[in-house]
Every structure is written in structure tokens, then in C-alpha cells.
Amino acid sequence: MSKADTMMDWDSVWIGAQIATLENGQYNVIEDGALAVKQGRIAWLGAKQDLPAHQAQHTYQLEGGVITPGLVDCHTHLVFGGNRANEFEMRLNGATYQEIAKAGGGIVSSVNATRAASVDELVDTAQKRLNSLMADGVTSVEIKSGYGLNAQSEIAMLQAAKTLLDNNPVDIKTTCLAAHALPPEFAGRPDDYIDYVCQEILPQVAQLGLADAVDAFCEGIGFSVAQTQRYFEAAKALGLPVKLHAEQLSSLGGSSMAAGYQALSADHLEYVTEDDVKAMADAGTVAVILPGAYYVLRETQKPPIDLFRKHKVPMAIATDANPGTAPVLSLRLMMNMACTLFGMTPEEALAGATIHAAKALGMEQQVGTLAVGKQANFVHWDVQTPGELSYWLGGQFVLQRVYQGEVCS
């Protein structure tokens, strides 16, 4: 056998940085590592000194830094019309929630602006927000609907998200959040609205192939556990996996109910009980921690991080980017907040924005860790240790963001 026959043939090789693989949710750092890419996937990974004989179209000789999996933002509402910056200012000038609502504010203002926007307009505004996330190291993102609240506008939001997928070097998972709030035309009739969602919106969304999952807001100001169950039954009949906004403001047992449907994730979870956590652990449901909303709303009830640790429930971290309660455009900032506000460790935070976030989207076989055969989504950071990604507040640390083996920034 000739030397050429034994030589590895790769598209690109990355040499000379630390590599944090995040396997098993731990840093698992390879010092002075090397990573090879072939046809958009990781073909080889290990210490530089162990590199086999190879040839590559591109060799990147790195001067230090850290390579991690691309960040995964598993809970966003990036697509919406308008914004609510004026309400933020009104609140800080002393206006009450009721006064803001009476002035046409709150979620109704986002619904009205979203319904008035074309798909192209929704794409254009969401693109700017997506650009910020990608610049911060995100290579996979979930986008929910939920500000249309009728068939036409919910479909338009999901079509906008699909257009973003087609136009950007990023994975996008779409989620139908039609059970987000009660639209004005159904005021006082939540059961009728759930009927409408189950009979009209979900079937159309499924037929058009616009959603990878469905979500609901199960809360006193949202929908009851029973109403959410009806919604989940309709989703199940259409073959769509579920996830849930649960236990954000009160303890209703929504997360336990969602676990009974093998939910991908339950999100927020400030008021979750130990029984809820046990149910999530049994179902393999990921706990998605959203410090941005906690911070903006100035809440005091923290999610029970120690309970999730005790019962080995994977903890993901996401931006919850939305116009009202979390105008957040940095997943790294949320990693810091998860540490400073909730007591997560930097290692847990990075795992929460990679391996566990990928599981929350059902993508753990494709992304979230660095391993041979997985999609070559990774980031080369201008830091000396992985923990710095949770340490710094702000700053531009992305040297190169790589999506499916191609350098994007």
C-alpha cells in the first residue's frame, strides 16, 4: 500500500487551539488540539501530535484560543412585528401594567404589529436580530411563532423563519406557539380559541411542514393545564413533538403534564416543584433556563438549580429573545446571568448553551458537541479558557464561526 493510499483526504484542518468537546456536558479540553472536516462533518478530532498523515484543501494554523461547539439558542421569539421599547421606557417612568395595556401596549401591541407586517417585513426585522446571535457564536437557533394568533399570521411567522433558514448559515428549528396568548377577538373565550387552534391552525401548519414542534404558555395569564393538554393531543395526532412555557409565574404542574407527553423541554421553571423535576427526569425532558426574562421582569423566585442537579435533569440556557419580557440578543450574556443570578457553574452554562440546548431541540445527534460524524458547527474564540465565555460581560470574542465546515465570520 502506497503512502498516498493511507493518507487522509480532508476539506479542512484546524490546528493549534484548545478544543472543548463538551462531551457528557463537561469541557473535556484537548490541549493543542486538531480538528478535521470532510463534507460538512467532523472527520477527525484529537491532539495535534496524533494527527495522521493527511492532505487538506485548507489548513488553519491557529495561534491559541479555544474551539467549542457552535452555540445553540433553543428558545427564541425572533420573528415579530414592531417592538416595545416605548413600554420599557413607560415602565421605568412609573406607568403600571394596566396603564400600558390601556394605551394599547403589552402582547396586543405585538400581535397588531405582527398581523400588519408582510412576510418580507418580518424576515427583514428578524434578520437583524439573528445577525446579532450569529455574531455571538450561535450556529443553531429555535424560532417560535405566537404573535399572530390567527391562522394567516401564525403561518406568516413560520414562513418568515423558514426563509431565514434558507438565507443564513445557521440551523433553524421552527416551533408553533399558537397557544401563546388569547387574541382580542377571543376575549373571555379561551376554550373556543383552543378549539380554533387545534382545528384550524395546527392542521394547516402541519400540512405545510412549517413546524418542527409545538409550544404553549401554560400559566394563569395564559392557558390552563387542561387547555394545554387538548393542544398537545392535537399536536400528537399530527406527529409533532411538544415543549412548554411552564411554572414561570406560578406552580400549575404544567411541566409534569408536559413530561407525560415526552416533551422535548419545559422552559422558565421558576416555580417548578420536586415532583415536577422528577417527572422531567423520568421523561428525559430538558429544563430550559431563561435568565433574561427573570432579569427584565425583576423576578425574585429563582429556578431550583439544585433540584435539577439532584435529579440529573439537563439544564439548557437560552435568550428567550422577544419584544416584551426578554429583548435579549446575546446568548453569552445569558450564560453569565445563569451563573451570577442562579448559581450555575461556567461549565454548566457552556453545556447549557451547547449539548443540552441541542437536546432541547431534538438535535443532539447532529450538533451540541464536537465528535467525529457530527455536523462541523464550531466557534474559534479569542479566549484562553472555556470558562471565559461565561466570565466576560459583552465583548467580541468570536474569531471564526464555522457552520457545516464553512467559515462564516
Side-chain angles (χ1 to χ4, degrees), residues 8-36:
M8 307 302 295
D9 185 13
W10 295 324
D11 297 330
S12 60
V13 181
W14 303 72
I15 302 170
Q18 296 179 57
I19 299 176
T21 70
L22 272 295
E23 284 288 335
N24 302 313
Q26 299 174 325
Y27 289 147
N28 283 316
V29 173
I30 302 170
E31 301 287 350
D32 196 14
L35 184 154

Side-chain angles (χ1 to χ4, degrees), residues 209-257:
L210 290 175
D212 299 301
V214 304
D215 194 354
F217 183 39
C218 184
E219 190 53 75
I221 61 172
F223 297 96
S224 70
V225 172
Q227 289 161 349
T228 305
Q229 280 183 296
R230 288 167 50 206
Y231 180 63
F232 280 2
E233 287 292 336
K236 182 179 177 181
L238 294 166
L240 292 169
V242 302
K243 54 183 67 178
L244 187 65
H245 289 61
E247 272 70 65
Q248 180 184 9
L249 306 172
S250 61
S251 178
L252 297 181
S255 48
S256 290
M257 181 274 291

Side-chain angles (χ1 to χ4, degrees), residues 280-358:
M280 292 172 62
D282 290 343
T285 298
V286 176
V288 178
I289 308 301
L290 302 171
Y294 172 93
Y295 170 80
V296 171
L297 292 172
R298 292 189 278 192
E299 295 289 348
T300 57
Q301 177 85 13
K302 299 178 182 181
I305 301 302
D306 283 340
L307 280 181
F308 298 132
R309 288 173 178 149
K310 175 182 175 182
H311 295 285
K312 295 181 171 54
V313 173
M315 292 181 287
I317 295 170
T319 61
D320 191 19
N322 74 68
T325 61
V328 176
L329 297 176
S330 170
L331 184 52
R332 273 204 319 106
L333 179 59
M334 296 304 95
M335 290 163 58
N336 174 278
M337 284 189 176
C339 296
T340 56
L341 298 178
F342 300 154
M344 293 178 68
T345 68
E347 187 172 54
E348 287 175 328
L350 184 54
T354 54
I355 179 173
H356 300 322

Side-chain angles (χ1 to χ4, degrees), residues 341-390:
L341 298 178
F342 300 154
M344 293 178 68
T345 68
E347 187 172 54
E348 287 175 328
L350 184 54
T354 54
I355 179 173
H356 300 322
K359 181 175 173 58
L361 296 180
M363 297 182 69
E364 66 270 29
Q365 299 303 314
Q366 292 82 44
V367 300
T369 63
L370 299 178
V372 172
K374 282 199 168 183
Q375 199 164 297
N377 291 6
F378 57 90
V379 180
H380 179 214
W381 304 91
D382 188 14
V383 296
Q384 295 182 349
T385 65
E388 286 188 59
L389 299 177
S390 296

